[in-house]
Amino acid sequence: MEIKEEGTSEEGQHFLPTPQANESGDFHLTSIQKTPNEPQLEFILACKDLVSPVRDRKLNTLVQISVIHPSEQGLTRYSSTEIVEGTRDPLFLTGVTFPSEYPIYEETKIKLTVYDVKDKSHDTVRTSVLPEHKDTLPETGRSFLGYASFKVGELLRSKEQLLALSLRTSDGGKVVGTIEVSVVKMGEIEDGEADHITADVQGQKCALVCECSAPENVSGKDNLPFLNAVLKNPVCKLYRFPTSDNQWMRIREQMSESILSFHIPKELISLHIKEDLCRNQELKELGELSPHWDNLRKNVLTHCDQMVNMYQDILTELSKETGSSFKSSSSKGEKTLEFVPINLHLQRMHVHSPHLKDALYDVITVGAPAAHFQGFKNGGLRKLLHRFETERRNTGYQYIYYSPENTAKAKEVLSNINQLQPLIATHADLLLDSASQHSSDSLKNSLKMLSEKTELFVHAFKDQLVRSALLALYTARPGGILKKPPSPKSSTEESSPQDLPPPMRRQDSIPHHSDYDEEEWDRVWANVGKSLNCIIAMVDKLIESDGGSEDSGDSRDGEQDLSVVDSIKTHPREDWYEQLYPLILTLKDSMGEVVNRAKQSLTFVLLQELAYSLPQCLMLTLRRDIVFSQALAGLVCGFIIKLHTSLHDPGFLQQLHTVGLIVQYEGLLSTYSDEIGMLEDMAVGISDLKKVAFKIIEAKSNDVLPVITGRREHYVVEVKLPARLFEALPLQIKEGQLLQVHPVLFNVGINEQQTLAERFGDVSLQESINQENFELLKEYYTIFMEKMPPDYISHFHEQNDLKGLLENLHQNIQAKKRKNVEIMWLAATICRKLNGIRFTCCKSAKDRTSMSVTLEQCSILRDEHQLHKDFFIRALDCMRREGCRIENVLKNIKCRKYAFNMLQLMAFPKYYRPPEGTYGKADT
Ligand SMILES: O=P(O)(O)O[C@H]1[C@H](O)[C@@H](O)[C@H](O)[C@H](O)[C@@H]1OP(=O)(O)O
């Protein structure tokens, strides 16, 4: 018989195809009645009176669950229980659950095989696809005791949905005990006390696993279809643990991929292509330049065109990955997948504990955003960008130095111009429409819109940077006509002292031409304002002469040029259009003139940015784009999940639009060797997320995928909600207010590499990241306290000692203790209390991340849900051995082993070590 391992094949990842009719066409399968989006079948297992093959030997048993699909001959290994030690009557802690997508039918057969584990360190978890067991040939470390099988339909139709089956040897002869299979159903919660469980501290035996219902208020069932559109391939596990007062708590662990892993990078790359194509076009339209600048431009254009082609190729490759929702750790160095986050998952714990409200705890797990294909030989972004900028500032010829802030400003003004010019033109045309309809009200409204946009437009050019760029471009032309004395100040002269490093004041390279006519720009620019004033005055007069007495309500008071108003002569009512038309033309012309000049001069600033060390500059942009894309995919995923789970919480919604959300990243990278570079990439990628704002819009179709707009300096992610949910949002959010995020990163290296860094290397990178991010977290806390309403804050204070936690975190960061994992626990607790989005990352989000999230889950159970203290380690081991995270390892490397060796584990903080038998040499 052929055996497949669930999750090791493509079918395993996406579940098996729906069975089809056999050749004769009479194949009929009976579906299990199910609640949408809930698991179809869940059961628990216990054995009784097991017979040991060797007399007086204490049994350590586990049950392996396999599925025989009716349409297939083969057996698929599905899951396992944990090992229960030293008893002939084991009650297993880990249950069996078949998620809603799983192709299970009444005709599906389940096989239960019981093993006696002799050597836990040897293959207590399946490490690969093994041959079908024969009881005469025991697998290494464990021996076969007996098996039983049943059809799902038989279980469902049985009395009380409980089967007691005889366990037999493989020849079907001898009975070696009984196995009980008991269905557990959503919403039915088992009563009774848990005081009969033995709590032998060494073995920490615990009993039973049971169902866990997802009550309305926690799961937000009505949001599920939307959430399921972005979450894929869920893996579910169930447990039951005793509380300190000997009652039961139930835990459902769920891990899902997200199609955003691929969707966001594709959206982002398309935007980069658009932005770069537009910039390249603007460079081409810069006009005539003197030979030095012209050569430079040609060179820049050649490289930039190549870059766009490369982005296009990557996009084409990514678009081939249709339907993909997961990039495995082993693909992290693949060039075409570089923009895709590594091993991105939602890790969710749903807790149902006595006396307390149900609670959900979400962590997004993802590989640290880093440019693996480019490598880390020269470090990561934090170092590379700093070095590049310092060198650029100190190189004194060939190009003009603008600080990164000024370059960013130039891009911002350019983007504003590109948006505002067509908007103003549209509003101007609408004004003319209103004029031709001779409607006073509509005229007033159109004028209001036109005035607002034109004022924004004029304001956009107030910056000194535009003036200095105009002068710079002027002198780069093949021969300008020189008229007036120089401008008093250039933008960079106003910039901060760090822009002016010794020995050379770099802004000296900005031309100061003695004959440049600076006032010409002022005149051109002022003409836009004047044209608008003429239009306002004309509209007023037209309305007045038409018998309307009210003021048009615009902002011209005190500013209006009275001579212009007086000179306007109005004509009979039919002439409204004719009288406004020439004024609109003048506005458009003067605006065109301003746009033309400003665009060229600011594009010249961008040319300077690209001109220095061209290939290196573009490689850095690429690296930053890659890292940002990975970080953004995770963030959008986290934001959407947070939004959906908190939609019914008014406090959260208020926080969302008044303060924004804290997004806390826990990093487990070491500050040694390549991981230094990864951490340097990650720190920049996360900090760059400050450039992202969210906007919630109403979904108009079934396409619920988020849409990104903007450019490298500022992105808006539009998240869609169905009308029903959108309607219930606060007005500010519905009106499209931008919602901010506040990312913070705390890193604590925990492995043997970190030991080396602490003994022989340098941990300053980690220290400065933690210190800097602590300041950011404190700032967020201050805004939170200031902006949230007083009654919310007083209630919040009663429940949380945020101040104390922050102080504690600060002290721990200052203490500079080795592998101080307290920092991570405190930062995560603060984030949870502030309603934030939690992330945990290591290189691959596979091994160290799994240790950390399971520890976090059990610590929450202990601190918030009264997990019995004697069961803390047992719960931890259970989650690590048979929980979602070992499935994560399997789906990444097709092997159920955390990639740690003994030496590595000895270096780990105590609670980060997985149980015996779950780790070892693995081919990562
Ligand atoms: O998920 P990670 O912890 O980044 O996986 C590491 C693991 O910690 C380490 O022990 C092992 O030697 C490998 O380097 C793992 O990284 P891979 O990226 O190779 O999975």
Side-chain angles (χ1 to χ4, degrees):
M1 182 177 263
E2 189 207 345
I3 298 187
K4 274 198 296 198
E5 181 90 7
E6 199 68 71
T8 54
S9 62
E10 270 304 292
E11 297 102 298
Q13 292 288 329
H14 302 106
F15 296 129
L16 297 164
T18 309
Q20 288 162 4
N22 64 11
E23 277 156 37
S24 57
D26 58 358
F27 204 70
H28 177 74
L29 295 174
T30 322
S31 296
I32 301 173
Q33 213 183 20
K34 57 178 183 182
T35 319
N37 302 308
E38 289 291 318
Q40 297 182 81
L41 173 68
E42 297 189 307
F43 57 80
I44 51 168
L45 296 164
C47 292
K48 271 195 184 142
D49 306 321
L50 292 177
V51 179
S52 169
V54 182
R55 251 182 62 176
D56 295 337
R57 190 189 128 69
K58 277 200 169 178
L59 291 172
N60 301 327
T61 44
L62 72 81
V63 182
Q64 187 171 282
I65 298 96
S66 308
V67 175
I68 304 168
H69 294 280
S71 56
E72 300 190 347
Q73 288 303 306
L75 195 72
T76 303
R77 284 184 178 170
Y78 184 73
S79 69
S80 267
T81 64
E82 79 282 15
I83 305 163
V84 178
E85 293 182 53
T87 172
R88 297 172 61 222
D89 305 312
L91 295 167
F92 295 97
L93 187 74
T94 315
V96 184
T97 170
F98 291 94
S100 61
E101 296 86 347
Y102 196 88
I104 189 166
Y105 303 89
E106 290 200 4
E107 294 76 9
T108 306
K109 213 169 171 183
I110 309 281
K111 182 177 175 185
L112 307 168
T113 314
V114 183
Y115 290 97
D116 176 25
V117 179
K118 289 172 186 150
D119 181 0
K120 276 206 285 181
S121 65
H122 226 119
D123 201 10
T124 51
V125 284
R126 303 174 311 284
T127 56
S128 60
V129 181
L130 296 169
E132 169 68 305
H133 124 88
K134 298 274 179 279
D135 50 352
T136 46
L137 282 176
E139 287 171 7
T140 334
R142 64 185 183 180
S143 65
F144 170 83
L145 278 182
Y147 83 95
S149 58
F150 64 92
K151 278 196 179 159
V152 170
E154 287 163 14
L155 174 63
L156 292 175
R157 283 190 295 274
S158 63
K159 194 167 168 224
E160 292 177 7
Q161 299 201 313
L162 186 145
L163 290 176
L165 306 165
S166 295
L167 286 164
R168 292 180 184 275
T169 49
S170 61
D171 55 13
K174 214 165 119 203
V175 173
V176 290
T178 311
I179 186 160
E180 282 184 6
V181 188
S182 176
V183 172
V184 285
K185 277 209 192 111
M186 292 300 114
E188 282 178 18
I189 292 161
E190 195 194 1
D191 288 331
E193 301 233 319
D195 57 358
H196 60 282
I197 344 156
T198 45
D200 107 30
V201 177
Q202 244 197 352
Q204 290 212 348
K205 291 178 201 66
C206 183
L208 281 178
V209 153
C210 151
E211 87 292 347
C212 184
S213 61
E216 242 17 68
N217 57 342
V218 199
S219 68
K221 271 185 186 146
D222 45 348
N223 313 346
L224 272 171
F226 252 61
L227 213 45
N228 285 348
V230 294
L231 295 177
K232 292 281 167 246
N233 295 332
V235 173
C236 285
K237 300 282 172 172
L238 287 164
Y239 317 92
R240 180 169 84 160
F241 303 126
T243 58
S244 47
D245 58 354
N246 285 330
Q247 301 207 47
W248 294 110
M249 66 166 85
R250 291 106 190 213
I251 290 93
R252 175 179 283 148
E253 207 190 10
Q254 186 195 321
M255 182 183 74
S256 310
E257 305 165 1
S258 173
I259 51 169
L260 299 174
S261 281
F262 282 77
H263 172 75
I264 296 295
K266 285 193 272 189
E267 282 270 303
L268 207 53
I269 297 171
S270 306
L271 273 187
H272 292 328
I273 294 174
K274 227 164 80 185
E275 181 183 342
D276 292 351
L277 279 174
C278 173
R279 181 211 46 212
N280 293 0
Q281 189 55 33
E282 278 162 1
L283 280 171
K284 284 173 197 155
E285 288 167 3
L286 245 185
E288 222 183 325
L289 296 175
S290 62
H292 163 73
W293 294 112
D294 199 39
N295 284 337
L296 214 100
R297 168 171 56 178
K298 280 186 187 136
N299 193 20
V300 164
L301 275 171
T302 312
H303 281 84
C304 287
D305 284 339
Q306 280 169 6
M307 200 70 175
V308 170
N309 289 341
M310 189 176 117
Y311 277 65
Q312 265 157 349
D313 290 346
I314 294 176
L315 186 60
T316 313
E317 284 306 310
L318 274 187
S319 305
K320 288 181 191 161
E321 307 265 342
T322 46
S324 229
S325 53
F326 163 67
K327 170 175 142 185
S328 73
S329 67
S330 41
S331 309
K332 62 180 165 295
E334 275 181 37
K335 181 162 175 47
T336 51
L337 296 179
E338 267 219 298
F339 284 75
V340 181
I342 306 159
N343 193 15
L344 174 70
H345 285 89
L346 160 68
Q347 170 76 27
R348 167 168 284 186
M349 177 172 75
H350 177 181
V351 188
H352 177 89
S353 51
H355 321 306
L356 290 170
K357 269 196 193 155
D358 275 30
L360 287 184
Y361 298 92
D362 288 346
V363 180
I364 306 294
T365 61
V366 63
H372 287 268
F373 179 77
Q374 296 197 21
F376 306 98
K377 235 182 24 235
N378 301 313
L381 279 170
R382 192 169 150 121
K383 182 156 96 199
L384 293 171
L385 286 170
H386 183 259
R387 193 192 293 156
F388 182 77
E389 210 42 57
T390 312
E391 282 169 10
R392 205 164 79 93
R393 205 158 36 188
N394 293 327
T395 308
Y397 60 99
Q398 286 212 324
Y399 74 99
I400 303 164
Y401 176 74
Y402 290 96
S403 67
E405 294 74 32
N406 275 329
T407 311
K409 201 179 282 163
K411 290 179 189 169
E412 188 187 328
V413 179
L414 270 170
S415 146
N416 288 343
I417 304 174
N418 286 338
Q419 275 177 13
L420 284 172
Q421 193 187 15
L423 259 181
I424 294 172
T426 311
H427 287 303
D429 292 344
L430 287 174
L431 188 78
L432 286 178
D433 283 351
S434 310
S436 51
Q437 286 160 19
H438 211 100
S439 151
S440 306
D441 282 347
S442 146
L443 201 62
K444 276 190 233 167
N445 285 339
S446 308
L447 180 66
K448 189 167 175 279
M449 298 303 289
L450 179 68
S451 305
E452 276 173 17
K453 299 294 169 216
T454 313
E455 271 157 28
L456 282 179
F457 178 83
V458 173
H459 187 78
F461 298 103
K462 257 191 185 147
D463 207 280
Q464 187 66 28
L465 175 69
V466 183
R467 292 175 185 283
S468 73
L470 278 162
L471 173 60
L473 177 60
Y474 179 81
T475 55
R477 300 281 190 212
I481 301 158
L482 319 171
K483 289 178 195 163
K484 290 274 162 84
S487 65
K489 260 185 189 175
S490 79
S491 148
T492 40
E493 277 168 334
E494 290 180 336
S495 59
S496 61
Q498 67 257 34
D499 288 341
L500 317 167
M504 193 174 136
R505 288 168 62 88
R506 286 287 300 118
Q507 77 281 6
D508 283 350
S509 67
I510 295 181
H512 286 236
H513 216 295
S514 60
D515 288 318
Y516 172 62
D517 183 1
E518 199 185 1
E519 281 165 19
E520 197 189 334
W521 163 249
D522 287 339
R523 278 194 299 277
V524 177
W525 181 33
N527 277 345
V528 180
K530 281 186 182 160
S531 306
L532 176 69
N533 278 348
C534 286
I535 294 170
I536 293 171
M538 175 60 86
V539 169
D540 275 357
K541 290 243 170 183
L542 290 174
I543 292 174
E544 211 182 284
S545 63
D546 203 41
S549 57
E550 322 137 42
D551 189 89
S552 60
D554 50 58
S555 59
R556 72 202 158 85
D557 297 358
E559 286 173 18
Q560 203 169 324
D561 184 345
L562 289 173
S563 60
V564 172
V565 182
D566 291 341
S567 69
I568 291 171
K569 303 254 179 311
T570 54
H571 297 274
R573 33 184 299 143
E574 58 273 12
D575 284 338
W576 279 21
Y577 179 91
E578 279 80 4
Q579 290 181 71
L580 273 173
Y581 182 71
L583 300 181
I584 294 286
L585 267 195
T586 313
L587 174 73
K588 284 185 178 174
D589 284 350
S590 46
M591 200 170 58
E593 180 66 19
V594 169
V595 167
N596 214 12
R597 286 171 187 241
K599 249 189 177 177
Q600 289 195 339
S601 64
L602 294 171
T603 304
F604 190 66
V605 173
L606 302 193
L607 177 65
Q608 308 310 311
E609 183 200 28
L610 293 160
Y612 172 71
S613 187
L614 191 56
Q616 197 195 350
C617 171
L618 292 180
M619 281 327 273
L620 270 179
T621 306
L622 171 67
R623 186 172 194 119
R624 201 166 182 172
D625 287 347
I626 286 168
V627 172
F628 180 72
S629 166
Q630 294 180 19
L632 184 66
L635 174 67
V636 178
C637 181
F639 184 90
I640 291 181
I641 290 163
K642 184 79 198 172
L643 180 70
H644 278 271
T645 42
S646 308
L647 264 178
H648 304 294
D649 174 358
F652 167 81
L653 292 172
Q654 174 148 29
Q655 178 184 352
L656 187 61
H657 70 83
T658 52
V659 198
L661 289 187
I662 193 88
V663 186
Q664 183 254 331
Y665 290 81
E666 166 179 321
L668 296 154
L669 295 169
S670 60
T671 50
Y672 198 77
S673 188
D674 275 0
E675 289 198 5
I676 297 180
M678 285 174 218
L679 184 54
E680 286 169 348
D681 273 354
M682 182 182 187
V684 173
I686 287 169
S687 170
D688 278 350
L689 292 176
K690 289 181 199 134
K691 301 172 189 167
V692 181
F694 287 86
K695 189 171 164 181
I696 302 178
I697 57 168
E698 189 182 331
K700 300 284 183 208
S701 69
N702 288 339
D703 175 11
V704 292
L705 289 175
V707 176
I708 312 178
T709 55
R711 63 201 154 75
R712 279 188 185 83
E713 268 65 33
H714 178 65
Y715 291 104
V716 175
V717 183
E718 292 181 348
V719 172
K720 298 172 192 167
L721 276 189
R724 184 174 41 88
L725 299 175
F726 184 80
E727 270 315 306
L729 291 173
L731 193 65
Q732 293 89 334
I733 300 183
K734 283 199 285 194
E735 281 176 347
Q737 187 181 311
L738 292 183
L739 312 169
Q740 305 300 331
V741 283
H742 304 261
V744 289
L745 161 67
F746 293 94
N747 188 81
V748 178
I750 57 167
N751 68 4
E752 78 294 352
Q753 301 270 63
Q754 190 61 21
T755 312
L756 293 176
E758 279 160 354
R759 299 246 165 92
F760 314 109
D762 179 9
V763 290
S764 59
L765 173 64
Q766 177 173 294
E767 285 172 1
S768 27
I769 288 176
N770 291 347
Q771 187 54 49
E772 286 161 22
N773 283 274
F774 175 75
E775 296 304 326
L776 295 175
L777 181 60
K778 220 169 65 182
E779 258 171 49
Y780 177 84
Y781 171 72
T782 311
I783 314 174
F784 180 87
M785 290 299 161
E786 276 168 17
K787 289 200 178 166
M788 290 299 278
D791 42 338
Y792 181 93
I793 291 296
S794 64
H795 179 68
F796 186 81
H797 272 316
E798 276 166 31
Q799 298 199 318
N800 305 289
D801 176 23
L802 246 290
K803 233 177 164 177
L805 285 167
L806 277 166
E807 186 48 39
N808 199 349
L809 176 62
H810 190 223
Q811 280 164 7
N812 273 283
I813 291 171
Q814 297 288 308
K816 303 196 169 157
K817 256 168 67 187
R818 288 180 179 176
K819 295 188 185 172
N820 189 358
V821 290
E822 188 67 11
I823 290 178
M824 309 207 281
W825 174 245
L826 286 166
T829 308
I830 293 170
C831 170
R832 280 195 301 273
K833 288 189 186 288
L834 282 171
N835 245 332
I837 306 175
R838 277 271 301 110
F839 280 80
T840 297
C841 314
C842 57
K843 178 169 65 171
S844 300
K846 175 170 65 65
D847 303 315
R848 283 165 287 180
T849 293
S850 294
M851 297 307 109
S852 184
V853 288
T854 45
L855 176 59
E856 185 173 341
Q857 288 178 171
C858 290
S859 304
I860 291 171
L861 293 179
R862 181 195 57 202
D863 296 353
E864 309 285 337
H865 299 270
Q866 287 128 36
L867 170 68
H868 195 303
K869 68 176 173 23
D870 292 347
F871 287 83
F872 180 76
I873 299 288
R874 175 67 190 269
L876 201 52
D877 284 356
C878 221
M879 285 180 181
R880 288 172 178 174
R881 188 182 290 278
E882 288 300 334
C884 291
R885 298 312 300 191
I886 197 80
E887 304 292 345
N888 182 273
V889 174
L890 178 71
K891 73 194 270 189
N892 273 285
I893 58 168
K894 315 253 186 284
C895 166
R896 282 175 187 268
K897 270 187 180 180
Y898 300 110
F900 302 133
N901 57 37
M902 272 311 274
L903 199 78
Q904 283 175 302
L905 288 189
M906 277 158 61
F908 273 24
K910 186 171 158 206
Y911 291 118
Y912 288 78
R913 300 174 191 163
E916 218 184 324
T918 61
Y919 58 88
K921 194 178 170 321
D923 200 0
T924 61

